[in-house]
């Protein structure tokens, strides 16, 4: 028996790759995960850990391109487009601009909502049945507004879109929000509460998925950077890494923001860009929020767990530029200070940045490659990798088995981009 061979080889050990591994193992396949670092070390590690059917609406809508272009003048803008010239980023931006219309907005919102709602239900079941010790909570998520103008705009747009998609939104007055959340400073104009949202600690979730994958007989190769592919007659025959050569019948690309870089080795042009996010993790303040919060004007996400407290969000398009941007971290601190009595915990545990894998239409790329007969994609989940992870794993396993998928796979098909 060839120990380097498995039924399925999964490229990438973040929450998407690990969720795919878990569902494939449950379907009876043998699985090996290749991870260049350690499981969950990328965007799976430092995000806010919210599970959000409320985030079905994409960024791309009429007027958003102007917002992005104006952001080049403000390095601390919640959505920031670095003015440095970058050919691939410019091509992505032009593609993004083509999707800034209401028809594409509605299509993306429906596609995102279908997988978000499916995944929300699956995650609750996974956490309870496996079980996964990841500080899962189902308190919902509260959007907080300090100006009537921002509240009115979101009531007219955000809330109505979600309600059309079957996602519950509760409208709250300012005093109701303040009574529900004593951690907030006074002066709240109102809120939108999303009772179907949840939260977990993402690094614990990734670690628990990895544990279950190995308990079910899966292999995880850490420190396995992919060097090249062995290709023959339209198939991937093997994958060469720093940990050796691995072979399989099927390959799943779940590399997140690294997908377009590795895709070039396969002659693929994936229309993706890294959207850089930041977070600050603390020990818990005394007055912590009872719910996951989004401070809307500042675009700051606040998540509390039993073992910590995190401020996060922002979206920076700077290509594959590494490292912390102090201007962005300071904006998170200022935004939190505007809305919370105790915006920071007593001890700063981590300053973090990570790349979110953004497709130009903001719909994930899931399904078989139109170029390589044994390649399956599970990538481009944007800011929603944790939220979409369980349904992505389930869908990939169903497509590989050839059974009836639990949700319509056509909106996510790689063929829409010719890959």
């Amino acid at each position: 028996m060839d120990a380097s061979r498995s039924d399925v080889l999964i490229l990438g050990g973040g929450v998407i790759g690990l969720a795919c591994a878990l569902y494939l193992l449950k379907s009876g396949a043998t699985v090996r995960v290749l991870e260049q670092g350690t499981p969950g070390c990328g965007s799976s590690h430092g995000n806010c850990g919210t599970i959000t059917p409320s985030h079905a609406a994409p960024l791309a809508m009429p007027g958003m391109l102007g917002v992005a272009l104006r952001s080049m003048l403000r390095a601390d803008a919640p959505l920031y487009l670095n003015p440095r010239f970058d050919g691939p980023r410019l091509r992505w931006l032009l593609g993004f601009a083509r999707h800034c219309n209401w028809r594409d907005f509605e299509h993306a919102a429906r596609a995102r909502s279908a997988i978000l709602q499916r995944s929300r239900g699956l995650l609750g079941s996974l956490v309870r049945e496996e079980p996964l010790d990841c500080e899962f909570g189902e308190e919902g998520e509260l959007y907080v507004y300090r100006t009537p103008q921002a509240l009115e705009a979101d009531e007219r747009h955000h809330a109505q879109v979600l309600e059309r998609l079957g996602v519950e939104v509760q409208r709250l007055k300012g005093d109701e929000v303040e009574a529900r959340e004593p951690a907030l400073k006074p002066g709240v104009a109102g809120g939108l509460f999303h009772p179907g949202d949840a939260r977990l600690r993402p690094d614990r979730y990734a670690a628990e998925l990895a544990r279950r994958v190995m308990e079910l007989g899966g292999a995880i190769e850490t420190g396995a950077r992919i060097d090249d592919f062995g290709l023959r007659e339209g198939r991937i025959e093997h994958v060469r890494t720093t940990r050796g050569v691995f072979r399989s019948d099927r390959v799943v690309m779940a590399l997140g923001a690294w997908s377009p870089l590795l895709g070039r080795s396969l002659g693929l042009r994936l229309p993706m860009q890294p959207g850089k996010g930041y977070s600050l993790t603390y020990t818990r303040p005394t007055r912590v929020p009872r719910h996951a919060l989004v401070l809307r004007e500042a675009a700051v996400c606040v998540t509390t767990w039993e073992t910590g407290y995190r401020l996060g969000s922002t979206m920076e398009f700077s290509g594959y530029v590494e490292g912390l941007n102090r201007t962005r971290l300071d904006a998170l601190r200022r935004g939190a200070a505007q809305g919370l009595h105790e915006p920071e915990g007593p001890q700063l545990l981590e300053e973090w940045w990570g790349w979110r894998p953004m497709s130009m239409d903001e719909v994930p790329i899931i399904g078989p490659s139109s170029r390589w007969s044994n390649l399956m994609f599970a990538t481009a989940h944007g800011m929603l990798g944790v939220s979409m992870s369980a349904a992505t794993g389930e869908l990939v396993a169903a497509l590989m088995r050839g059974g009836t998928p639990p949700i319509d796979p056509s909106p996510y098909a790689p063929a829409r981009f010719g890959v």
Side-chain angles (χ1 to χ4, degrees), residues 196-210:
D197 285 6
R199 53 86 180 165
L200 49 72
R201 181 142 189 162
D203 52 344
R204 290 297 310 147
Y205 176 53
E208 287 288 274
L209 285 175

Side-chain angles (χ1 to χ4, degrees), residues 21 61 68 80 121 138 144 154 188 213 296 311 358-359 381 404:
M61 66 181 75
Y80 174 60
E138 299 179 284
V144 180
D154 269 11
V188 174
V213 164
R296 281 293 285 152
L311 307 176
M358 306 291 291
S359 65
H381 293 79
T404 302

Side-chain angles (χ1 to χ4, degrees), residues 3 7 15 78 87 107 133 169 203 213 219 227 229 284-285 316 389 392:
D7 294 336
V15 291
H107 172 79
D133 180 12
V169 183
D203 52 344
V213 164
D227 290 332
F229 298 93
R284 284 166 56 111
E316 174 186 342
S389 57
T392 298

Side-chain angles (χ1 to χ4, degrees), residues 53-241:
S54 65
H55 284 35
L59 288 172
M61 66 181 75
M64 186 54 67
L65 184 62
V67 172
L69 293 174
R70 288 192 296 275
S71 80
M72 292 192 292
L73 304 174
R74 275 190 58 207
D76 63 349
L79 171 65
Y80 174 60
L81 181 64
N82 191 306
R84 175 180 60 84
F85 177 76
D86 177 330
R89 187 160 52 103
L90 178 60
R91 286 193 295 274
W92 181 91
L93 186 63
L94 292 172
F96 175 84
R98 287 196 298 273
H99 291 283
C100 288
N101 61 76
W102 290 124
R103 182 180 62 83
D104 287 347
F105 174 90
E106 289 291 338
H107 172 79
R110 286 193 300 271
R112 287 156 59 99
S113 187
I115 193 167
L116 282 168
Q117 292 195 62
R118 178 69 183 176
S119 202
R120 170 65 183 89
L122 289 172
L123 271 166
S125 300
L126 270 183
V127 167
R128 287 184 285 270
E129 293 169 8
E130 290 303 325
L132 305 179
D133 180 12
C134 57
E135 303 188 43
F136 182 70
E138 299 179 284
E139 303 90 355
E141 184 173 44
L142 179 60
Y143 285 22
V144 180
Y145 301 83
R146 295 201 162 264
T147 64
Q149 295 86 353
L151 174 60
E152 182 183 349
D154 269 11
E155 283 181 326
R156 190 173 60 248
H157 177 68
H158 169 86
Q160 290 181 15
V161 169
L162 291 181
E163 286 167 342
R164 285 203 306 275
L165 296 167
V167 178
E168 183 183 357
V169 183
Q170 297 176 7
R171 294 161 173 80
L172 303 176
K173 296 178 181 178
D175 57 349
E176 294 174 317
V177 175
E178 291 177 11
R180 185 174 290 206
E181 273 297 356
L184 292 166
K185 288 180 176 178
V188 174
L192 296 176
F193 181 59
H194 307 89
D197 285 6
R199 53 86 180 165
L200 49 72
R201 181 142 189 162
D203 52 344
R204 290 297 310 147
Y205 176 53
E208 287 288 274
L209 285 175
R211 175 183 63 81
R212 284 300 290 145
V213 164
M214 291 186 287
E215 286 176 354
L216 292 171
I220 300 176
E221 304 288 343
T222 59
R225 190 189 70 245
I226 297 166
D227 290 332
D228 62 25
F229 298 93
L231 308 172
R232 183 182 178 189
E233 297 178 352
R235 289 176 56 84
I236 300 173
E237 292 284 298
H238 65 259
V239 180
R240 186 178 300 278
T241 78

